[in-house]
Amino acid sequence: MTSELVFWLAPAGVIVGLLFAALFYRDMLRQDAGSEHMQRIGGHVQRGAMAYVAQQYRIMLWVFLGLGLLFTLLSFGFGVQSRYLPALFLAGGAFSALAGYVGMQTATRASVRTAAAARHSLGGALRVAFRSGAVMGLVVVALGLGNVLAWLLFATAFMPATAEQGGGLVLITTTGLSFGMGASLQALFARVGGGIYTKAADVGADLVGKVEKGIPEDDPRNPAVIADNVGDNVGDVAGMGADLFESYCGSLLAATALGAAAWSQDPVMQLKAVVAPLAVAGLGILLSVVGVFIVTTREGASQKQLLASLSRGINVSAVLILLASAAVLHGLGITNPWGLWGAVVSGLVTGIVVGRATEYATSPGYSPTRRVAAQAEGGAATTLIAGLGAGMQSTAIPVLAVAVGTLMAFLCASGFDIEQLNVGLYGVAIAAVGMLSTLGITLASDAYGPIADNAGGNVEMCELGPEVRARTDALDSLGNTTAATGKGFAIGSAALTALALIASYIEVVRLEMLRRGETVLLMESGVSIELSVASLQDFMAYFNVTLLNPVVLAAMFIGSMTAFVFSGMTMQAVGRAASAMVDEVRRQFRENPGILRGDCEPDYASCVEISTLGAQREMIAPALLAVLVPVATGLILGVAGVIGLLSGGLATGFVLAVFLSNAGGAWDNAKKYVEEGHHGGKNSRAHHAAVIGDTVGDPFKDTAGPSLNILVKLMSIVAIVMTGVTVGFSLL
Amino acid sequence: MTSELVFWLAPAGVIVGLLFAALFYRDMLRQDAGSEHMQRIGGHVQRGAMAYVAQQYRIMLWVFLGLGLLFTLLSFGFGVQSRYLPALFLAGGAFSALAGYVGMQTATRASVRTAAAARHSLGGALRVAFRSGAVMGLVVVALGLGNVLAWLLFATAFMPATAEQGGGLVLITTTGLSFGMGASLQALFARVGGGIYTKAADVGADLVGKVEKGIPEDDPRNPAVIADNVGDNVGDVAGMGADLFESYCGSLLAATALGAAAWSQDPVMQLKAVVAPLAVAGLGILLSVVGVFIVTTREGASQKQLLASLSRGINVSAVLILLASAAVLHGLGITNPWGLWGAVVSGLVTGIVVGRATEYATSPGYSPTRRVAAQAEGGAATTLIAGLGAGMQSTAIPVLAVAVGTLMAFLCASGFDIEQLNVGLYGVAIAAVGMLSTLGITLASDAYGPIADNAGGNVEMCELGPEVRARTDALDSLGNTTAATGKGFAIGSAALTALALIASYIEVVRLEMLRRGETVLLMESGVSIELSVASLQDFMAYFNVTLLNPVVLAAMFIGSMTAFVFSGMTMQAVGRAASAMVDEVRRQFRENPGILRGDCEPDYASCVEISTLGAQREMIAPALLAVLVPVATGLILGVAGVIGLLSGGLATGFVLAVFLSNAGGAWDNAKKYVEEGHHGGKNSRAHHAAVIGDTVGDPFKDTAGPSLNILVKLMSIVAIVMTGVTVGFSLL
């Protein structure tokens, strides 16, 4: 295999990915959309989702245009890369939004068709739901890789080369990181807004409907039921998609930037280092498509068989990528191909371990969740203490896995030489790319979850037969498992991506200093080192980025604290938005008694609007925090402070995210375990306690936890984009 | 003032401190101990407390002897300082235990006398309780300073000087850190064990007595009531005392070690730098005694006046220390006295800000706690979400205060030159000493809390009149406020002390390398630097301790995770120990119906025993984690890994501790606020929800949160003591 051939894997992946996404979408639309009643309910959900999207995108448009203008103005003063910054920033936001839009359009249309298919067979319903999920998965990866590729091709053709040797590709790749800023900001709005939306609707629907009025889940008489179903799409489809779109683009961009920087003295190897992550990603898309076709099942399959079928698809893709990437890296003729392959493997294995650990921590089949369920007999307080304790302890394995994975990736890529920071950190970015190479199919199984969930809602609201409900329940329950692993995967990949972004930061600093006409680093010892050949260690020494520098330590404290304060803000936001929802549902029941009798349809739209507005209003403060803290730290504490902030924020944010997600997942499944008849079953004292645990866990696992994924990445990328300002004007 | 005179402030402080502790103790014993009934109840509590202490000290004795033997054996192979390590280690444990023992003896005897005094006047009761608290405060500081002083004098006389210039004092002071290891391990057992004990008893007493049987707090029919009262002493007196004894010794030892290292080339300044923290500490003891005499009140004083009286004592001490320390530092003739004074001020101010922020976050007088109380109307789930969110957001101010305080202390001490790491870090340690200089009186107001609480319990159990109960309630309520500020103070000082200890670590590494016969650092660039004159920056570069080194980053992740896992373990431990207590209380009520009718006394001793055994058993796993993680990290990841681990653990552990303490405090006071008649008052729906919040908050604020203070310090000191092993045998 020659290196030119390898390059073509990337565009091939993009084209094939988009092609199959279109095919799966067309296939889905051709399916039977069910009875008129089913379509009416589905229409409510779809309109609600689109209302949310329209509202959010309208706000986003103004934010992006405002920031784009700001960046344009700043570009006159700061940075070579800032000339392209506004366009890249807007493109990042726009394509992330497009991916989210396609995903939501598909999911809302697919759920009613899944429900319709479930009237006839389980296998058919699985097929509709999963392939529709694959639309989202493939669109995200194809658009992500396609954009990175397009930027590189465009810039190679049109961007002026600089005098610096090898500077062309370094400049091009680091400039490309601005694309990540757009994707990241859009992800913040989608994840935080979506998280607030979905939990406000869920808590509101449950507290009044289930608890106060005693009507079942997904009952059409509940005014918040449509908002609740919309929330699944808004949070788990659009939010998760934007989150992983950002990780995907971020890891690719960081890998290209670090690769270009590591081999800046050797143009041939440099090009290969930039191509390698793109080729691995392209390969991943192609083999994800293969995996999607493996997921099938026959009628009467048990829950276990369904899960096995899904797992088989993902596992086959992963193993094929493992094997093929070895060939690809060899064919590329890059230095140390086995070492880089080791990095790919580290990433893939870390992703699998984190996913499994999440499943262990949250599945009712294992002791942690069962112990939480057992404590429910002692009441709400013991349930909560047990869940919080279990969540904290559950951080051990995922964090160790990422720590070991990072270290292994670094060591493999650097030939076990810890001094080779450049190449080693490139290896860490490659590990992130490796982990995300299966994203096409893992995201398919994530997006499948809310589709199955909504299909169940549709079946319930249309009062179809119990055997239909049993089929959608089986699909839904499977979706809960994939959602748990998906969450672990999202957290793990966010951590690796953020690490790679932090590593890229210093390359951007170097470029900014070159732009300012600085040519040497003047070291404390009096030695001067030429900027263009200065190693990362030299930069670290120059900026005094050691763990005894009080600036670094103080900034680390602030980073840790930011993760907690950000989580607290999103938790409080859910509380406030849910209160508004509770008031509205109570009002409708009070003012129109016909609703509860089933005589007339409740006003679904007003609940959708309350969740939408609440989400928009409440996401402003956390968004500002995430953007302003790195800018302020950079302005006051300088480069050393920024790196301290980002590391502290990442270390704490990552562990906190695992804790919140796993505690929430454990409570959720402990409740389900009790409902299955354990510890007294439904409506027992233990059940009431478990419901309280689940309600507390909702904002943990669906709002605060996932939002932290965005925080750690967004802070890094804001720091990168703001380098021009912070390097020029920092106080210290 | 000449520098010799200044030195004598330290022994003077020790002597005066011990003298007044003895005087206050004698005074307290002379007070009326109340009726025979009161004395019987007081005797139960006292015997229970002593039973716990005896049991814990028995286990501690074996642990210490075992580890002492291990260190003796290791000392043949590793390290100059390890010759004295076993003795210092044992002394650290023994004196911490002694301070705890004296505190408990005083507190248990004082509470019954406070109750007796409350029969006559509020002012008299306050005087007994507060001066008895001062016994604990003064014993802790006098023993702490006395031990550090004794070691320095002993070692200067008997320890062989090394060939290295200035090596004598460097060796002596870094060796002294082993004393901190003993104090730290004892603190771990006291804090974790005490925290588990007190909450198991509290939760057990509340869940069965208050919730199931509907009998009031502190009712003598409740079998767990004595254990609950013992728990206040075990957790808040002995645990808090051991925690702050460790911080006090740790900050002094770190300051002397960093001072000796910073001026290792100038023996005159070196001696002054070692004397300075001791003199400031001695001054602090003298002026704390002055402050104790200022705390008085007249009969009929309102809650506000009581608080004002306590605050006046602390504030007068603080201001006097501020003024006098300027004179002392000038008199000492140290370089840059104003800069070091700035560091003292930074520490003192940080302590005050953290205390105030804690009060704001947890007092029912401010909006955060009131918002939690308001959410109680929505039920348990919204109360919990609100408290968790508020706790997370409350980390902002304390963490910022410590970050800014650290930075200011560094900058002042180093003459605003960030490159002067040595002197700057000495400044950070001086800030910790400055913050803790008021410890004599702040700890008095902490220890006062449980005395007043127990006095209230005694009054309730002996069924004295309502006007007596009103007086003890006023004292108790004041104690809750001082406890909140005390917790903030303990966390803030732990963070600063841990920072100073991390900074000392590298000096110990230097000594260990010298001992191994290494004489130069061979830098990557080929330059060699003599070990004895290598700067901290040189060490950082040699060991590659930068934030882009994957070893450092992986270790930071592990440090963050350790803080969470450790907290999870202690939370779960409380859950298990409380379950055993619940079973026992239920058993007694069931098997002996006479108890509930008030016909016969319940078996208090068996409940005391259950809490004692539970605490002993449950503290083993967290203790092992705290000791093994730094050792394993050192062995596998080396010096860079250790520093990464400690920084990550500190950044996350500190913020997590603030979160846990403040969330717990907010729930506690939200419950009290509801009980005062807001949101429906006692026995309303909101009250039930608030009680659940309070129960969840108990292990937050009294077990997991405070235990983290110990974790961050203990991990640092274990790393320091284990340097001989980890530098010699690390894998990376």
Side-chain angles (χ1 to χ4, degrees), chain A residues 502-522:
Chain A
I502 295 174
S504 320
Y505 172 66
I506 213 73
E507 290 303 330
V508 180
V509 171
R510 183 205 303 261
L511 282 182
E512 176 59 24
M513 291 172 77
L514 281 170
R515 192 191 67 79
R516 291 178 171 272
E518 300 180 32
T519 52
V520 292
L521 292 180
L522 261 177

Side-chain angles (χ1 to χ4, degrees), chain A residues 203 207 212 371 375 378 380-382 384-390 392-397 399-400 402-404 406-407 410-411 418-419 421 425 428 495 499 502-503 506 524 535-537 540-542 544-558 560-561 564-565 567-569 571-572 574-576 579 586 637 640 643-644 647-648 650-652 654-656 659-660 667 685 691-692 695-696 699-700 732, chain B residues 203 207 212 371 375 378 380-382 384-397 399-400 402-404 406-407 410-411 418-419 421 425 428 495 499 502-503 506 524 535-537 540-542 544-558 560-561 564-565 567-569 571-572 574-576 579 586 637 640 643-644 647-648 650-652 654-656 659-660 667 685 692 695-696 699-700 732:
Chain A
V203 172
L207 278 185
E212 293 183 11
R371 274 200 294 268
Q375 287 291 327
T382 48
L384 281 151
I385 293 175
L388 291 163
M392 286 176 173
Q393 287 184 276
S394 78
T395 58
I397 297 174
V399 176
L400 270 181
V402 170
V404 172
T406 304
L407 210 51
F410 184 101
L411 291 174
I418 212 94
E419 301 287 334
L421 277 189
L425 290 170
V428 174
L499 270 180
I502 295 174
I506 213 73
E524 202 205 348
S535 70
L536 286 175
Q537 275 93 338
M540 294 290 110
Y542 177 76
N544 204 356
V545 190
T546 74
L547 278 174
L548 291 187
N549 181 350
V551 171
V552 174
L553 288 166
M556 269 181 67
F557 280 175
I558 295 173
S560 277
M561 176 270 277
F564 271 89
V565 171
S567 296
M569 282 178 161
M571 300 267 298
Q572 303 269 43
V574 170
R576 279 188 296 264
S579 286
R586 281 185 185 152
L637 300 179
I643 296 184
S647 328
L650 174 57
T652 302
F654 171 39
V655 184
L656 185 58
F659 156 60
L660 292 170
W667 279 316
R685 187 177 138 81
V691 167
I692 292 176
T695 311
V696 174
F700 267 49
L732 280 178
Chain B
V203 172
L207 278 185
E212 292 182 11
R371 272 200 296 265
Q375 288 291 328
T382 49
L384 283 153
I385 293 175
L388 290 162
M392 287 176 172
Q393 287 184 277
S394 78
T395 59
I397 298 173
V399 175
L400 270 181
V402 169
V404 172
T406 304
L407 210 51
F410 185 101
L411 290 174
I418 211 95
E419 301 286 335
L421 276 189
L425 290 171
V428 174
L499 269 180
I502 295 174
I506 214 71
E524 201 205 349
S535 70
L536 286 175
Q537 275 95 337
M540 294 288 110
Y542 177 74
N544 204 357
V545 191
T546 74
L547 278 173
L548 290 188
N549 181 349
V551 171
V552 174
L553 289 166
M556 270 181 67
F557 280 175
I558 295 172
S560 275
M561 177 268 279
F564 271 89
V565 171
S567 296
M569 282 177 161
M571 300 267 298
Q572 302 269 44
V574 170
R576 280 188 297 264
S579 287
R586 282 185 185 153
L637 300 179
I643 297 184
S647 330
L650 174 57
T652 302
F654 170 39
V655 184
L656 186 57
F659 156 60
L660 292 170
W667 278 317
R685 186 178 139 78
I692 292 176
T695 311
V696 174
F700 267 49
L732 278 178

Side-chain angles (χ1 to χ4, degrees), chain B residues 396-634:
Chain B
I397 298 173
V399 175
L400 270 181
V402 169
V404 172
T406 304
L407 210 51
M408 286 312 297
F410 185 101
L411 290 174
C412 288
S414 67
F416 288 81
D417 179 357
I418 211 95
E419 301 286 335
Q420 299 292 324
L421 276 189
N422 257 314
V423 187
L425 290 171
Y426 173 64
V428 174
I430 289 288
V433 172
M435 189 192 230
L436 287 162
S437 62
T438 57
L439 185 62
I441 185 161
T442 45
L443 190 52
S445 68
D446 280 351
Y448 150 89
I451 295 175
D453 190 357
N454 264 326
N458 195 300
V459 166
E460 180 74 28
M461 283 187 264
C462 298
E463 290 157 5
L464 301 180
E467 80 289 356
V468 184
R469 182 75 217 192
R471 289 199 191 106
T472 53
D473 276 354
L475 292 178
D476 187 17
S477 162
L478 176 61
N480 285 329
T481 306
T482 60
T485 24
K487 269 185 192 119
F489 189 80
I491 295 173
S493 64
L496 275 185
T497 303
L499 269 180
L501 288 172
I502 295 174
S504 321
Y505 172 67
I506 214 71
E507 290 304 329
V508 181
V509 170
R510 182 206 301 261
L511 281 182
E512 176 59 24
M513 291 173 76
L514 280 170
R515 192 190 68 76
R516 292 179 170 272
E518 299 180 32
T519 52
V520 292
L521 293 179
L522 262 177
M523 308 307 275
E524 201 205 349
S525 52
V527 182
S528 65
I529 298 168
E530 240 187 272
L531 210 53
S532 56
V533 301
S535 70
L536 286 175
Q537 275 95 337
D538 295 331
F539 273 95
M540 294 288 110
Y542 177 74
F543 286 112
N544 204 357
V545 191
T546 74
L547 278 173
L548 290 188
N549 181 349
V551 171
V552 174
L553 289 166
M556 270 181 67
F557 280 175
I558 295 172
S560 275
M561 177 268 279
T562 305
F564 271 89
V565 171
F566 179 84
S567 296
M569 282 177 161
T570 55
M571 300 267 298
Q572 302 269 44
V574 170
R576 280 188 297 264
S579 287
M581 183 64 82
V582 165
D583 291 343
E584 169 64 17
V585 176
R586 282 185 185 153
R587 185 193 66 76
Q588 289 201 24
F589 281 141
R590 195 177 55 239
E591 295 181 1
N592 189 351
I595 295 176
L596 213 51
R597 289 194 304 269
D599 294 347
C600 58
E601 205 172 61
D603 182 2
Y604 298 133
S606 75
C607 289
V608 168
E609 200 184 320
I610 282 176
S611 250
T612 303
L613 289 180
Q616 303 305 326
R617 199 174 42 235
E618 297 289 353
M619 74 188 169
I620 295 171
L624 279 178
L625 183 79
V627 172
L628 291 184
V629 167
V631 174
T633 305

